[in-house]
Amino acid sequence: MSETTVSPDLTDDLHRARAGDDDAFGRLVSPLRRELHAHCYRMLGSAHDADDALQDALVRAWRKLGSFEGRSSLRTWMYTVATRTCLDLVDARGRRALPVDLGPASDTVTTGDVPVTEVAWLGPYPDEPGARAEERESVELAFVAALQHLPGNQRAALVLFEVLGFSAAEIATTMDTSTASVNSALQRARKLVAEKVPTASQQRTLREIDDARLREVVHGYSSALERGDAPALVALLTEDVTWSMPPMAHWYAGIGPVTAFARAVPLGGDCGSWRHLEVTANGQLAVASYRRAPDEPADAPHTPWSIDVLTLRGDRIAAVTSFIGAEHHARFGLPASLP
């Protein structure tokens, strides 16, 4: 990477941090926290695991700061610490999955589906306001899900090279291996990711559609669910649309099965009433769903249910990934209820 080492204005904080000043250390790493957290999410597929990894990496960096000699930038050194921390967690916790990774789509609608707790599920990631298109692209759902199919060393090599611009030699130093091993890992990783990630990114798709139409898609999806309007919902979907709901294992593929599922479950009376807020997640269009159960009074609030990440092909929805769980709303900074 073509970076300078620690800038003169940070040198004093570096000396202070090495002497044990934790405030100085905080000032050094504060500008890097968000991008390091996103790096940990790409590696681990979970914002919660990224929290743990970043905290662990900061503790490791604090303890090892004396070994930082300034021959690379502080940013590069911190990425080395964070990557090694993530690799330890990959070995300990395994990979994250989506329902499509576990088995074929369901041919018939399953009502009363229950969470599968023995699977480590991939989770959504809130967008950073003002993030660049390439930053949003690097956390798109298809890309992060594909990374989870790679061994830790291939995952790290691909992210460091393709997303962050490290050279193969720098990655070899980061991972304590040879440049030849890094190049081999990159070759294998690229092959698998190319098979699983669409050629057109969601950032490219979003750029090609005017803002008014994008608003129509998001509003149309939300309002169709709130009205129980199946034809309006179906009109927004591609013929080969998929719908999955981690941590539920069942998922549906194709306009027929997805329509049957939508009529029976989110549009069915057993789900109750819906309200939605427009958000963005994983660099994609998304809505936060709030639900009021059918046995609750009409003036009861709607409470968090899921973050629905929408994957577009053209101006239609090709995939709905509904991440169920109130904990996601808290991470997105969303209200605890809607009237």
Side-chain angles (χ1 to χ4, degrees):
M1 298 177 72
S2 56
E3 295 182 349
T4 59
T5 55
V6 179
S7 58
D9 59 325
L10 295 179
T11 301
D12 185 54
D13 274 339
L14 180 59
H15 289 318
R16 290 175 180 273
R18 283 173 169 160
D21 187 336
D22 56 353
D23 289 337
F25 178 73
R27 289 192 293 272
L28 284 172
V29 300
S30 179
L32 302 173
R33 291 182 71 101
R34 173 65 190 187
E35 63 176 284
L36 288 171
H37 192 273
H39 176 60
C40 294
Y41 171 74
R42 294 182 203 104
M43 287 287 295
L44 301 171
S46 160
H48 175 75
D49 282 358
D51 292 343
D52 292 345
L54 179 57
Q55 184 59 36
D56 192 6
L58 292 175
V59 171
R60 293 188 189 190
W62 169 247
R63 291 173 177 169
K64 297 178 179 179
L65 195 58
S67 67
F68 173 62
E69 300 175 350
R71 286 182 287 188
S72 65
S73 71
L74 179 67
R75 178 176 179 269
T76 297
W77 185 75
M78 285 299 304
Y79 268 104
T80 296
V81 176
T83 299
R84 291 178 177 175
T85 302
C86 288
L87 288 173
D88 289 343
L89 283 175
V90 169
D91 290 339
R93 302 185 183 183
R95 71 179 181 93
R96 295 270 171 174
L98 287 173
V100 297
D101 300 318
L102 304 183
S106 298
D107 294 328
T108 58
V109 176
T110 300
T111 57
D113 210 354
V114 296
V116 177
T117 57
E118 61 268 25
V119 173
W121 295 102
L122 190 75
Y125 195 68
D127 283 355
E128 176 74 4
R132 302 190 307 275
E134 57 268 26
E135 294 171 330
R136 294 194 297 271
E137 186 174 75
S138 70
V139 293
E140 286 183 8
L141 208 50
F143 180 64
V144 177
L147 290 175
Q148 300 303 300
H149 290 268
L150 299 173
N153 66 320
Q154 294 180 29
R155 200 181 305 180
L158 188 72
V159 170
L160 290 170
F161 189 89
E162 299 287 1
V163 176
L164 298 168
F166 280 67
S167 69
E170 287 172 321
I171 297 169
T173 299
T174 293
M175 298 172 60
D176 195 21
T177 188
S178 67
T179 301
S181 294
V182 169
N183 286 327
S184 177
L186 280 171
Q187 184 178 13
R188 293 193 298 272
R190 285 169 175 154
K191 183 176 184 297
L192 185 142
V193 169
E195 294 171 353
K196 293 185 174 293
V197 177
T199 303
S201 71
Q202 287 297 288
Q203 304 315 303
R204 175 180 168 183
T205 298
L206 294 174
R207 286 195 301 270
E208 292 174 346
I209 304 170
D210 66 80
D211 290 344
R213 176 54 183 161
L214 292 177
R215 288 192 296 271
E216 287 177 1
V217 172
V218 177
H219 178 71
Y221 173 84
S222 300
S223 61
L225 288 173
E226 291 175 10
R227 299 192 316 269
D229 189 341
L233 179 62
V234 170
L236 298 170
L237 309 178
T238 63
E239 286 295 321
D240 59 349
V241 63
T242 63
W243 197 315
S244 60
M245 301 145 290
M248 311 300 183
H250 292 93
W251 62 285
Y252 304 90
I255 195 68
V258 166
T259 301
F261 160 75
R263 288 182 183 276
V265 182
L267 299 178
D270 289 345
C271 271
S273 170
W274 296 103
R275 294 290 181 271
H276 299 88
L277 293 176
E278 296 181 15
V279 296
T280 55
N282 295 85
Q284 300 178 214
L285 300 180
V287 298
S289 293
Y290 289 74
R291 172 178 173 263
R292 185 183 66 215
D295 58 351
E296 293 182 296
D299 59 351
H302 291 70
T303 55
W305 180 255
S306 66
I307 300 293
D308 298 356
V309 181
L310 309 180
T311 299
L312 300 188
R313 188 185 309 126
D315 64 351
R316 301 175 77 185
I317 299 170
V320 179
T321 308
S322 299
F323 293 97
I324 298 173
E327 68 275 9
H328 302 311
H329 292 64
R331 179 168 294 279
F332 278 68
L334 295 170
S337 65
L338 293 179

